[in-house]
Amino acid sequence: MNDVRGIRLLDAETVGQIAAGEVIERPLSVVKELVENALDAGATRIAVRVRGGGLGEIEVADDGSGIDAADLPLAVLRHGTSKLFDAAGLARIGTLGFRGEGLASIAAVARVTIVSRTPDAQIAAAVDAHAETVGPCRPLAGPPGTRVVVRELFANVPVRREYLRSPAAEFARISQWLATLALAYPHVGFTLEHDGRGVFAFAPGDPIELRLAHVFGHGARAMVEVRDAGDAGRAGISGFISSPGDDRADRRAQVLFVNGRLLRSTLLSGAWTAAYRTFAMVGRHPYGVLFLRVPPHEVDPNVHPTKSDVRLRHADRVLTMVREALATSLRRGAVERLERSISHSPPPRANGSGEAVFAWSDSFVALEDTSALRVLAQIDRTYILATDGSAIVLVDQHAAHERIVFEQLRANASRNAAAEPLLIPHSFEVSPDQAERLDAALETLCAGGLIVEPFGERAYRIVATPAHLVHAGKTRAFDVADFIDGLNDECRGLDAAQRIWASLACHSVVRAGERLEPPEMTTLVERLQTCDNPMHCPHGRPTIVRLEPDAVARLFKRL
Ligand code: ADP
Ligand code: MG
């Protein structure tokens, strides 16, 4: 937000410490400077109008704080800024601009007119600037806020024009940048016009989904939300990321904001890769947008002339946080899709056909009337605490989910349920001995609905997944490597096919240590109660334990 102390020229010491000046290299650079100024001024509506790819004219109008008439000539002077006062301020920059060079750099290569009005001024003031000259300030009618018009861009530096692409291509950069920026400022309305045609109009506070769809295309509908992790004052992360299996050939669609500043995504590319690795994505790249919040004194935006990179004080810690937030969101996203798909599928048939021998089953009291189970809390991110009003009931979230998926797979196979083909096959690579084990399982997997094809040396691709276990043609998110390793698990009582389903179930469900929201727990518990064998996971471990009132009374020495 703009500071009320007004615009001053930076002192020589501060100027000496700021990274080399803004470079206006193409029309997009102009739009960036102007829109960032509008955001710094607290605008809630920003209108961008472009002609001829920006070489004709660029106009950015906002409803922000405006510039005092007395300050207007200073705004276009190099190092004239209201956002930074001394070198010490460089350590905690909270605005997008801070060097006071944006408007001056634009004026150096174009004709600039600024019209601005503060909320309490009766009338707007205008000033023209070009090259080194700033014209006199004149009164002009205009609404509160600021409007900057830029004409004859690069007329005096023809060599810059030579590096530009076609007007359409230059405009495309502007359009893409602005729509992307809009993701980080959902409360701000953005409109873009080219040659008099409206290109997009995002209203202030409209649903983020509209903006996501504009930037990422139709895959955005299945994006997984990264819910804000972290707390005020410390680093935090939120965002929206592609679901596993939906990916791109390059990293360009990995969008990163740090404290509202749009940056090159390379800073976090390692975290993206690490988080998605367990979801068997090889060679292609997930996409999405991440909003990273770090305390201003822990980030240095003054390292790059175009401010497209920053330095993070605790980069390692931040990267770990991001990686964990991504992985957690992906697992949660997988669970949610699974729950959605399970709740839409017919209940598994009761057939009790040969299953694991449940060594423990006698030592646990069966649930007579499970319908009344009420979920109370998650314990240790592993158990669901529930009650039927008298007994204390603990559900092992992983074991319970395994049981549900296992029965679903078995039902699929017995019904010869169709596998659901994937729109985009999902490729992965394995080690030589994993390949051997996987080859042996291919036929059974196919019967259960998971169709995996060899695809070059040690490479495979999943072309279809079990019906009802996927949502909207998306690849089930599970850890292929772990799944293959799990095929070896000894498990008495399970035949070969069941062992494969058990491993598939085990590696595609919620794990211990994963936070679940109350609705997720309720779905899990409800769904478990409709299973043939709700009491045990496919490997025979208990899913539910009950502590009866008697047992509780004994603990309190009442009996
Ligand atoms: P910087 O953004 O680094 O301060 P600029 O040259 O871009 O430098 O802008 C100079 C000053 O002009 C800003 O510090 C701000 O006070 C004022 N200013 C520029 N654009 C706007 C705007 N759209 N609304 C309000 N004030 C503005
Ligand atoms: Mg600026």
Side-chain angles (χ1 to χ4, degrees), residues 2 7 37 41 62 67 75 80-83 97-100 102-103 146:
N2 204 349
I7 302 178
N37 279 348
D62 67 59
I67 306 170
T81 181
S82 58
K83 304 169 194 174
F98 55 87
R99 297 168 179 152
L103 292 175
T146 302

Side-chain angles (χ1 to χ4, degrees), residues 240-275:
F240 294 87
I241 56 179
S242 59
S243 34
D246 186 10
D247 50 26
R248 304 271 166 99
D250 58 49
R251 294 184 179 281
R252 266 180 302 186
Q254 290 179 357
V255 177
L256 170 65
F257 288 90
V258 176
N259 292 354
R261 191 185 295 284
L262 179 56
L263 300 178
R264 269 205 306 261
S265 62
T266 45
L267 196 68
L268 291 186
S269 51
W272 282 92
T273 308

Side-chain angles (χ1 to χ4, degrees), residues 440-487:
L442 290 184
E443 215 172 301
T444 318
L445 285 174
C446 179
L450 185 70
I451 304 184
V452 181
E453 290 178 351
F455 165 59
E457 214 178 327
R458 291 192 283 110
Y460 293 82
R461 61 185 176 198
I462 303 175
V463 295
T465 54
H468 306 303
L469 286 183
V470 291
H471 183 69
K474 286 274 172 294
T475 311
R476 271 294 311 123
F478 69 94
D479 186 324
V480 172
D482 271 9
F483 158 64
I484 296 169
D485 292 342
L487 293 176

Side-chain angles (χ1 to χ4, degrees), residues 159-176:
V159 48
R160 292 264 172 97
R161 280 191 180 237
E162 281 166 30
Y163 286 99
L164 300 183
R165 312 251 307 276
S166 67
E170 293 300 328
F171 178 75
R173 287 177 192 245
I174 292 172
S175 174
Q176 198 187 8

Side-chain angles (χ1 to χ4, degrees), residues 170-189:
E170 293 300 328
F171 178 75
R173 287 177 192 245
I174 292 172
S175 174
Q176 198 187 8
W177 177 83
L178 190 65
T180 305
L181 184 81
L183 296 173
Y185 298 90
H187 58 286
V188 178

Side-chain angles (χ1 to χ4, degrees), residues 524-542:
L524 205 60
V525 169
E526 280 174 0
R527 204 49 195 80
L528 178 67
Q529 292 169 70
T530 69
C531 281
D532 285 349
N533 182 345
M535 300 303 289
H536 299 90
C537 83
H539 304 100
R541 286 186 293 275

Side-chain angles (χ1 to χ4, degrees), residues 22 33 36-37 40 83 96-98 100-103 307:
E22 313 291 350
E33 293 299 334
E36 290 185 355
N37 279 348
D40 281 345
K83 304 169 194 174
L96 297 169
F98 55 87
E101 297 188 314
L103 292 175
K307 294 179 258 165

